[in-house]
Amino acid sequence: MRILCGVATFLAASHSVVVVVVAAAEAPQQRQHMAWPSAEPASANQKLPSHRQPKYRPDRKRANAVKQAFRISWDGYYKHAFPHDSLRPVSNSFEDDRNGWGASAVDAFSTALIMGEHKIIDQILRYIPDINFNHTDSEVSLFETTIRYLGGLLSAYDLLTGPLKPRFDYSTHQTSLILHQAVRLADNLKVAFDTPTGIPDNDLFFSPPRKKGSTSNGLATAGTLVLEWTRLSDLTGDPQYARLAQKAEKYLLHPKNPAMGEPFPGLLGSSLNLDTGLFEDGAGGWGGGTDSFYEYLIKMYLYDPSRFSVYRDRWVLAADSSIRYLTSHPTTRPDLTFLAMWRNRTLHYFSEHLACFSGGNFILGGLTLDSPAYLGLGLDLVAGCRATYTGTLTGIGPEIFQWQDNTAPLNASNNSPPPTHQKLMYSRAGFWVTNGGYQLRPEVIESYYYAYRATGNQKYQEWVWEAFLAVNATCRVGSGYSSLMDVNLPEGGGWTDFQESFWFAEVMKYAYLVFAEEAPWQVKAGLENRFVFNTEAHPIRVAGGREKYGGWRG
């Protein structure tokens, strides 16, 4: 998930189509409302359950079609942009938006490994040792660098020294260089934690490494480091990385000023002071700027239940408060379910593409804690986010959308009706568009993936396929795929001429996995999980693997 500072700031203050090798998609199914049962949340002390696995139905033709899109994206990047960060597919040029270290190559690494794309893997593996993580001319984001670069390197190392080791003939020296580069990068980043509280400064400069001097940090940017930094310690045996990230996390797990920073139990504000550790506001949501903090709470428990039970407890608090306070239904489509944003204890009925990860996160929490309530809400949120796709002209969901809640007072200052020119859309779709951009985001397809893995229901494969075809039809241009100006205009309103690195890491990976064969990195409904995905969709091996037992336990 990517943060979106604009939403947090608002709350705090107030074409050509790729040739697909399968038949055209069937007509989209009508949405069937899946009511989540009334059930008490899972006990915070219960053990991980053991469920029967659903029956999955791999589809090789569709999986290959996604691989074809991945190859097109990579070939364009490799020809016109490598080793820079990102491809501009319309102008066949590049942009160094992530410090010039080859963000698209590192983000593509784990996806190429999972797909078995040998040529691409070789190209990336040869490049990794050459990255100069000691130097960049641009400002460094601790958060973005952690989830993309550090997460991508750790994931590749976990895959190549784990389940993929027998498949690829790479030497121990070659794979060890991946971990070496991860350590080198973290050693340059760790200056960020040198603050009075240990809450990191997200904004850094290198050559030499130093802080920018920020006075605050965001919930997501401070709270989405702990998985990658803990994993690095577990692999190297050096505890300093885990200690740094976990010390910062304590201010989020135990807010010092909950009257401001925790408006609802477990639901927090969006900004913390680096000197005092106090929250500076009470605004937030499951969207940009705060999203992946909540995501990592349950994922840390899945990574190691013995060490991270407090993270589980805080996720349960947040999930229960979301069910009690945030669930919302549009006046024109009460069958749809969204999660509201908040400023203090006032709700605001808008959401965003980024927040659509929440369906998958609730599903994962429901499986992990054996809770029908969490699982059911997650499936409802998935269906609600699908409606934002089927309700637009392109069949792709918008960056930000809004609705009028059906229980809050109508026309209240926080529950306004749609503008005149969008009333027809709202009456039909249950939402209206406030920002129609599409930045090649993965969150809706990501949640479809979790829904499919939890249930085995083939309709979620169909939903992925219809989304994949819609993106193919509109975003495919020039030498790759581009973000769009407005999903509710013909041809997406035009292209921004930018192919995000997380297109490789997330959209391509989740779209592929829903059609792929069983593998150790696939999410298991029975929770025999060997990997957990970081927020950039890089699979990280769960604790209890090689670092503790001396070898991959296949």
Side-chain angles (χ1 to χ4, degrees):
M1 269 35 96
R2 233 64 41 216
I3 63 167
L4 182 68
C5 296
V7 171
T9 302
F10 164 79
L11 286 168
S14 65
H15 118 219
S16 55
V17 182
V18 61
V19 177
V20 179
V21 296
V22 298
E26 301 170 5
Q29 302 176 13
Q30 292 296 314
R31 179 186 183 276
Q32 297 180 353
H33 178 61
M34 304 184 68
W36 51 278
S38 176
E40 291 299 317
S43 166
N45 295 317
Q46 68 184 29
K47 297 179 180 179
L48 297 180
S50 178
H51 298 290
R52 293 181 61 186
Q53 284 289 110
K55 183 178 180 180
Y56 303 118
R57 295 170 178 82
D59 188 321
R60 182 175 298 178
K61 288 184 178 180
R62 290 182 174 182
N64 286 338
V66 178
K67 290 176 73 171
Q68 181 185 1
F70 179 81
R71 292 187 196 112
I72 289 171
S73 306
W74 175 262
D75 289 347
Y77 165 73
Y78 196 72
K79 180 178 181 180
H80 299 291
F82 179 82
H84 297 279
D85 288 335
S86 300
L87 169 68
R88 289 193 170 276
V90 178
S91 56
N92 290 331
S93 57
F94 63 85
E95 183 168 329
D96 281 328
D97 56 306
R98 292 295 162 203
N99 306 110
W101 294 323
S104 288
V106 179
D107 254 352
F109 202 2
S110 64
T111 306
L113 286 165
I114 285 171
M115 291 180 173
E117 290 291 306
H118 290 256
K119 178 181 177 181
I120 298 173
I121 294 166
D122 287 343
Q123 290 169 333
I124 299 172
L125 188 61
R126 286 196 301 269
Y127 169 66
I128 293 297
D130 295 333
I131 303 175
N132 184 5
F133 284 127
N134 293 329
H135 176 77
T136 179
D137 293 324
S138 53
E139 187 174 310
V140 178
S141 165
L142 173 65
F143 165 77
E144 295 286 0
T145 305
T146 291
I147 66 172
R148 301 189 197 214
Y149 288 109
L150 188 59
L153 293 171
L154 293 173
S155 177
Y157 182 80
D158 274 343
L159 290 168
L160 285 172
T161 59
L164 291 180
K165 185 176 182 179
R167 189 183 304 179
F168 296 102
D169 187 25
Y170 296 124
S171 68
T172 301
H173 174 70
Q174 286 175 295
T175 54
S176 68
L177 288 175
I178 302 172
L179 186 60
H180 172 79
Q181 283 287 62
V183 171
R184 183 186 185 191
L185 176 58
D187 284 343
N188 284 327
L189 292 171
K190 67 185 180 183
V191 68
F193 297 91
D194 184 16
T195 66
T197 57
I199 299 172
D201 186 337
N202 186 62
D203 305 316
L204 306 173
F205 297 105
F206 280 10
S207 309
R210 60 200 186 278
K211 304 188 300 294
K212 182 178 181 179
S214 306
T215 59
S216 63
N217 199 352
L219 183 66
T221 45
T224 316
L225 310 170
V226 65
L227 176 59
E228 294 86 353
W229 288 68
T230 297
R231 184 61 184 161
L232 183 60
S233 281
D234 285 349
L235 287 171
T236 62
D238 186 342
Q240 65 166 318
Y241 309 108
R243 287 173 180 168
L244 289 170
Q246 291 172 28
K247 180 182 178 182
E249 193 87 9
K250 288 181 180 178
Y251 289 90
L252 314 180
L253 299 172
H254 309 288
K256 294 176 64 177
N257 58 332
M260 171 180 283
E262 193 171 1
F264 305 100
L267 298 175
L268 307 180
S270 59
S271 180
L272 297 100
N273 186 282
L274 302 188
D275 290 335
T276 65
L278 297 174
F279 275 89
E280 297 181 329
D281 62 66
W286 285 77
T290 54
D291 46 5
S292 44
F293 162 71
Y294 301 107
E295 176 188 357
Y296 272 26
L297 293 177
I298 196 65
K299 287 186 173 181
M300 288 307 296
Y301 178 62
L302 192 56
Y303 176 74
D304 192 341
S306 65
R307 280 186 283 175
F308 298 105
S309 60
V310 172
Y311 290 65
R312 168 204 60 198
D313 297 344
R314 292 298 295 186
W315 187 89
V316 166
L317 272 181
D320 290 351
S321 287
S322 298
I323 291 173
R324 181 174 180 182
Y325 300 110
L326 304 185
T327 50
S328 175
H329 310 282
T331 54
T332 60
R333 289 286 305 276
D335 58 312
L336 300 181
T337 301
F338 300 123
L339 293 179
M341 305 287 189
W342 65 87
R343 182 169 62 215
N344 302 320
R345 290 184 65 88
T346 299
L347 299 184
H348 295 268
Y349 301 105
F350 73 95
S351 191
E352 37 182 285
H353 200 291
L354 285 162
C356 283
F357 92 95
S358 60
N361 197 240
F362 269 87
I363 290 169
L364 182 63
L367 293 173
T368 303
L369 303 178
D370 201 17
S371 169
Y374 301 151
L375 177 60
L377 176 59
L379 294 173
D380 270 350
L381 293 172
V382 170
C385 284
R386 177 181 181 247
T388 69
Y389 268 54
T390 59
T392 69
L393 187 62
T394 59
I396 303 171
E399 184 74 1
I400 305 176
F401 58 94
Q402 194 169 343
W403 67 95
Q404 194 173 34
D405 182 72
N406 70 342
T407 60
L410 298 181
N411 298 314
S413 60
N414 66 325
N415 197 31
S416 58
T420 302
H421 69 285
Q422 296 211 57
K423 285 184 177 179
L424 181 61
M425 179 179 186
Y426 179 56
S427 67
R428 171 182 55 82
F431 70 95
W432 66 91
V433 175
T434 56
N435 181 334
Y438 174 63
Q439 298 180 32
L440 299 180
R441 295 207 184 276
E443 292 80 16
V444 173
I445 291 177
E446 171 187 357
S447 286
Y448 290 168
Y449 169 71
Y450 279 96
Y452 174 67
R453 297 299 299 181
T455 66
N457 191 327
Q458 285 183 279
K459 77 174 181 180
Y460 298 114
Q461 289 180 305
E462 295 304 316
W463 292 5
V464 168
W465 188 242
E466 71 182 13
F468 173 72
L469 290 181
V471 171
N472 249 331
T474 315
C475 299
R476 173 76 179 96
V477 62
S479 55
Y481 290 78
S482 173
S483 298
L484 303 174
M485 295 288 197
D486 193 328
V487 297
N488 221 21
L489 292 177
E491 298 184 342
W495 299 285
T496 66
D497 192 18
F498 192 73
Q499 182 175 279
E500 298 277 358
S501 77
F502 53 74
W503 164 258
F504 290 107
E506 301 186 73
V507 179
M508 291 288 92
K509 185 181 288 101
Y510 286 125
Y512 172 76
L513 285 176
V514 81
F515 301 117
E517 301 285 345
E518 280 304 289
W521 45 80
Q522 292 272 26
V523 169
K524 316 294 183 186
L527 293 202
E528 302 85 6
N529 285 294
R530 302 175 188 177
F531 286 81
V532 60
F533 290 97
N534 88 331
T535 196
E536 193 82 358
H538 294 303
I540 303 296
R541 199 188 314 174
V542 299
R546 194 181 72 86
E547 75 285 350
K548 287 188 176 181
Y549 295 97
W552 168 250
R553 298 188 302 162

